[in-house]
Amino acid sequence: MDIKKIPVKIVGPGSQTAEDGGQGPTFIDMPSDMATYQDPQIPEPEAVQGLAGAKEAMRWLRGALAAYQPGADPQLANLGALDDENRELVNQILGEGEVSISYEGVVRARSQESVMAGIWRTLYLDQDDKVCYDLLEVADVPHTVRMPDGRDRPVDASAQEVPAELNNALAILVELQTHCEEFERSGTANTINLTLLPLSDTDLEFVDARLGRGPVDTLSRAYGKCQVSSTLTPNVWWVRYYNSMDVLILNTLEITDVPTVLCAAPEDLGDSAVRLDSILAPYWSDVA
C-alpha cells in the first residue's frame, strides 16, 4: 500500500477549527510589566534655581554617596527643615524605585527606595500617621531593617504536644535551629527551600506561629515581586517570590543578617552616584 494513501485522522485538543465546533488553540499568558529604570520627572531648570534647600540636600547626597562604605552605618540627613516646595523637588529628583519597606516595632516607619539603588526616603510616623521625622538615607538597606528591637525568640523545635500530622513542620524547625546555631557560630548563611518540600498549609502556619512575626515587611517589585518578612527569631527571614501573574513560585526561609535581595550592591551605589550627577547637571552645575 502506498504510504501516501493511508488515511490519517487528527484528534485531540486543537484538532478541530472553531467552525467545526472545536476550540481554537489556547496559550499560557506570558509575563509582562517588567520594571526598568526611568529618569525621574522634574521641572525645567529655571523653575528650581531658587530652591536652595533642595540644592543643599543634593549636595549632601553626592557627598554621602562618595563617603559610604559597604558594611558601614547608613548616612542619614534630616529633611524636616525643608518647606513643602523644596521637599517636593527632592522627591521628584529621587523618584520612586522598586523596594518599599514597612517597620512596625518600637517605632513606626516607612521607607521607599528611590529610582537610584541605595538611596532611600524614610518617614517616621506617629499613631495618627503624621510624619515625625523625614530622613534621606544612603545605605544598602534602611537603618530600620537592622534596628535592634527585641527579635530574640529562639527557634522552638520541641515535639511536646505536636500532632503527628505536623511532623514535617517539626523537621523544618529542627533544621532551622541547626542553621541558626551555625550562623551565630560562623556567620554562614543558609536557605531552606520550602517550595520543594511536602508541606501543607497547616505545616506552614505552624512554622509561622513558632517563629513569630517580626516588625519588618518589604515588597520589591520588578519582574514579578518579592516579599520579605522578618520573624521574631533573630536572623531568620521569610522570603517569597511571585511571578508577574502573582503566582507564588519560590517560598524560602533565609538564615542571614539581611537577605541579599533587599541589599543594594556596592556597584549599584556607584552607578547611583553617576546617575545622580547626570540628573543634576542641567540644574545645578556647581553641585554635579
Side-chain angles (χ1 to χ4, degrees), residues 109-150:
R110 301 289 183 270
S111 296
Q112 176 64 52
E113 188 179 35
S114 76
V115 294
M116 293 161 282
I119 301 176
W120 307 83
R121 295 282 277 110
T122 297
L123 304 178
Y124 279 83
L125 308 174
D126 65 14
Q127 294 181 345
D128 298 321
D129 284 339
K130 293 182 179 178
V131 176
C132 302
Y133 296 99
D134 183 348
L135 303 181
L136 178 59
E137 297 192 53
V138 173
D140 57 347
V141 290
H143 69 285
T144 54
V145 174
R146 291 191 172 95
M147 185 181 292
D149 51 20

Side-chain angles (χ1 to χ4, degrees), residues 117-187:
I119 301 176
W120 307 83
R121 295 282 277 110
T122 297
L123 304 178
Y124 279 83
L125 308 174
D126 65 14
Q127 294 181 345
D128 298 321
D129 284 339
K130 293 182 179 178
V131 176
C132 302
Y133 296 99
D134 183 348
L135 303 181
L136 178 59
E137 297 192 53
V138 173
D140 57 347
V141 290
H143 69 285
T144 54
V145 174
R146 291 191 172 95
M147 185 181 292
D149 51 20
R151 278 177 272 178
D152 56 1
R153 179 187 293 187
V155 178
D156 181 3
S158 62
Q160 270 188 326
E161 300 181 2
V162 176
E165 62 267 22
L166 294 178
N167 282 338
N168 288 339
L170 196 60
I172 294 298
L173 292 170
V174 171
E175 182 181 358
L176 191 60
Q177 187 177 55
T178 300
H179 289 324
C180 286
E181 292 171 354
E182 183 180 6
F183 184 81
E184 288 290 333
R185 184 172 58 253
S186 64

Side-chain angles (χ1 to χ4, degrees), residues 261-280:
V261 69
L262 289 184
C263 299
E267 54 269 27
D268 293 333
L269 283 156
D271 185 54
S272 293
V274 173
R275 286 179 173 176
L276 181 64
D277 285 350
S278 174
I279 292 169
L280 297 180

Side-chain angles (χ1 to χ4, degrees), residues 204-216:
L204 295 173
E205 290 169 3
F206 180 78
V207 173
D208 186 22
R210 285 280 178 103
L211 296 178
R213 297 291 181 92
V216 180

